[in-house]
């Protein structure tokens, strides 16, 4: 029945049998057959047959919630030593800059408070991690806020706002950021990332033509390229860069300053285990108590984005 329950969750998320089949690699007919078997085993209908789309009835919504919990437990089978108390696993997605800054402190505090729990850190770009949260493959993610609204069952908490600066080699003369962007070679923050898309939108909105020489996602590598005189770059001032290297200068964008929002994203609380909820709370507390980031404005309240 596990296979059918996973398909049911896919149908609930995608809205139709066809879309769910595309997502999990089944034909629409195969999805329909699985749902019929599931209803036969349960002994009641989970879909409203009068609706044109795959609309869950009230009992169906209840089954989906229970199925998510059941599959989570199923995925954790075998994760404990025989005879030892059961241990939970919290899967956390985190972008690279978060892993290098405050995450170790949070995990150290978490392990002191929560026993018999294992945390698995999943690296990746924000879009990939966001998709993993949405698919239920990880419990929560600390990512860059996307430039679009999230699904209604995802919760977002803004943790910190990081201002973008124009980074230039120390020996480059001038403080006019628009002139420097057009006159100097440009090292671009990868447009595949949400942060890189912000840079791209800023350049287009400012009607600036840059002479691009390199594009990459790793912020520290971009800083090193600027330090070596390869070009200038628009970068967020992260926790790791409260103080820039002596070989570069950071120029404020003034009224045109834009920000990279780092936040916590997860599914609704009822689909999270106790350990995952505890860790999520400690993440928010860490930002709220320390004011992590150059211009942090943390929010301890989970915001529902429609």
């Amino acid at each position: 029945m596990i296979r059918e329950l996973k398909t049911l969750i896919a149908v609930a998320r995608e809205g139709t049998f066809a879309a769910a089949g595309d997502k999990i690699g089944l034909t629409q007919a195969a999805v329909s057959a699985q749902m019929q078997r599931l209803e036969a085993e349960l002994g009641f209908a989970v879909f409203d047959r009068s609706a044109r789309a795959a609309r869950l009835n009230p009992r169906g919504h209840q089954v989906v919630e229970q199925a998510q919990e059941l599959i989570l437990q199923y995925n954790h089978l075998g994760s404990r030593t025989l005879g030892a108390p059961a241990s939970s696993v919290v899967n956390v997605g985190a972008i690279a800059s978060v892993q290098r800054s405050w995450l170790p402190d949070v995990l150290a505090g978490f392990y002191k408070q929560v026993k018999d729990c294992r945390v698995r850190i999943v690296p990746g770009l924000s879009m990939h991690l966001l998709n993993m949260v949405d698919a239920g493959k990880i419990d929560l993610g600390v990512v860059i806020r996307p430039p679009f609204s999230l699904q209604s069952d995802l919760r977002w908490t803004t943790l910190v706002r990081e201002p973008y600066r124009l980074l230039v080699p120390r020996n480059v003369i001038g403080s006019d950021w628009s002139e420097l962007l057009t006159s100097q070679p440009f090292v671009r923050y990868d447009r595949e990332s949400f942060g890189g898309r912000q840079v791209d939108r800023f350049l287009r909105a400012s009607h600036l033509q840059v002479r691009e020489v390199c594009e990459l996602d790793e912020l520290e590598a971009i800083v090193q390229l600027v330090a070596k005189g390869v070009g200038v770059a628009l970068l967020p001032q992260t926790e790791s860069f409260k103080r820039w290297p002596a070989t570069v200068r950071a120029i404020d964008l003034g009224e045109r300053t834009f920000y990279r929002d780092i936040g916590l994203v997860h599914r609704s609380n009822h689909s999270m285990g106790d350990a995952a909820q505890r860790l999520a709370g400690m993440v928010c507390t860490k930002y709220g108590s320390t004011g992590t980031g150059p211009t942090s404005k943390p929010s301890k309240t989970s915001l529902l984005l429609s």
Side-chain angles (χ1 to χ4, degrees):
M1 184 183 286
I2 290 294
R3 180 177 61 178
E4 285 76 14
L5 290 176
K6 288 182 176 180
T7 302
L8 174 65
I9 293 172
V11 172
R13 287 176 181 161
E14 301 303 321
T16 67
F17 287 179
D22 290 340
K23 190 76 172 181
I24 61 179
L26 294 176
T27 64
Q28 181 177 348
V31 172
S32 179
Q34 284 194 21
M35 294 303 92
Q36 291 177 7
R37 287 198 300 270
L38 177 62
E39 289 179 321
E41 291 188 42
L42 292 174
F44 55 84
V46 297
F47 292 100
D48 179 3
R49 300 301 181 187
S50 64
R52 297 182 63 183
R55 183 174 299 169
L56 291 166
N57 60 30
R59 296 190 76 177
H61 285 291
Q62 181 181 356
V63 171
V64 169
E65 293 181 6
Q66 293 172 331
Q68 290 173 330
E69 297 177 3
L70 180 61
I71 290 172
L72 181 63
Q73 295 299 320
Y74 176 81
N75 291 337
H76 293 165
L77 288 176
S79 62
R80 65 171 182 147
T81 304
L82 185 63
S87 61
S88 58
V89 179
V90 180
N91 296 293
V92 180
I95 58 175
S97 61
V98 168
Q99 293 188 51
R100 284 194 301 268
S101 53
W102 55 266
L103 187 58
D105 287 340
V106 171
L107 291 179
F110 176 76
Y111 288 128
K112 291 179 182 179
Q113 296 185 24
V114 180
K115 306 300 181 183
D116 300 316
C117 182
R118 180 168 62 91
V119 178
R120 172 174 169 255
I121 303 299
V122 179
L125 295 178
S126 294
M127 188 67 204
H128 173 64
L129 298 177
L130 183 62
N131 286 336
M132 292 188 73
V133 173
D134 187 36
K137 294 181 179 179
I138 58 178
D139 299 292
L140 51 98
V142 186
V143 300
I144 303 170
R145 186 170 189 164
F148 50 80
S149 297
L150 301 183
Q151 297 290 340
S152 61
D153 59 342
L154 293 181
R155 272 54 176 176
W156 172 271
T157 303
T158 299
L159 301 172
V160 66
R161 305 195 73 205
E162 299 171 338
Y164 278 79
R165 313 292 191 201
L166 177 64
L167 211 61
V168 302
R170 174 64 64 178
N171 61 357
V172 171
I173 300 173
S175 58
D176 185 324
W177 57 264
S178 60
E179 181 179 340
L180 289 168
L181 277 169
T182 54
S183 64
Q184 298 294 318
F186 185 65
V187 181
R188 184 184 285 274
Y189 186 3
D190 187 6
R191 280 166 286 200
E192 290 294 319
S193 70
F194 292 152
R197 294 185 201 178
Q198 288 182 282
V199 170
D200 189 57
R201 285 195 296 271
F202 173 80
L203 292 173
R204 286 189 281 109
S206 302
H207 305 290
L208 295 175
Q209 297 293 327
V210 295
R211 180 160 53 92
E212 185 178 318
V213 293
C214 188
E215 181 173 357
L216 64 164
D217 177 66
E218 179 53 54
L219 297 184
E220 288 192 357
I222 296 176
V223 173
Q224 291 180 32
L225 287 174
V226 174
K228 295 179 182 297
V230 173
V232 302
L234 286 166
L235 290 181
Q237 189 165 6
T238 68
E239 172 73 6
S240 302
F241 296 125
K242 279 187 173 180
R243 292 186 177 180
W244 299 100
T247 48
V248 303
R249 290 191 301 123
I251 298 176
D252 194 290
L253 301 177
E255 295 180 353
R256 297 300 305 278
T257 299
F258 59 108
Y259 297 83
R260 185 178 81 160
D261 287 356
I262 303 295
L264 178 70
V265 62
H266 58 83
R267 301 186 69 83
S268 57
N269 287 336
H270 67 259
S271 65
M272 296 173 64
D274 292 340
Q277 291 189 46
R278 175 72 66 88
L279 182 56
M282 293 182 70
V283 169
C284 295
T285 300
K286 172 69 176 179
Y287 271 97
S289 63
T290 63
T292 301
T295 60
S296 62
K297 295 181 180 178
S299 169
K300 295 184 180 180
T301 303
S302 290
L303 302 178
L304 177 62
L305 298 184
S306 58

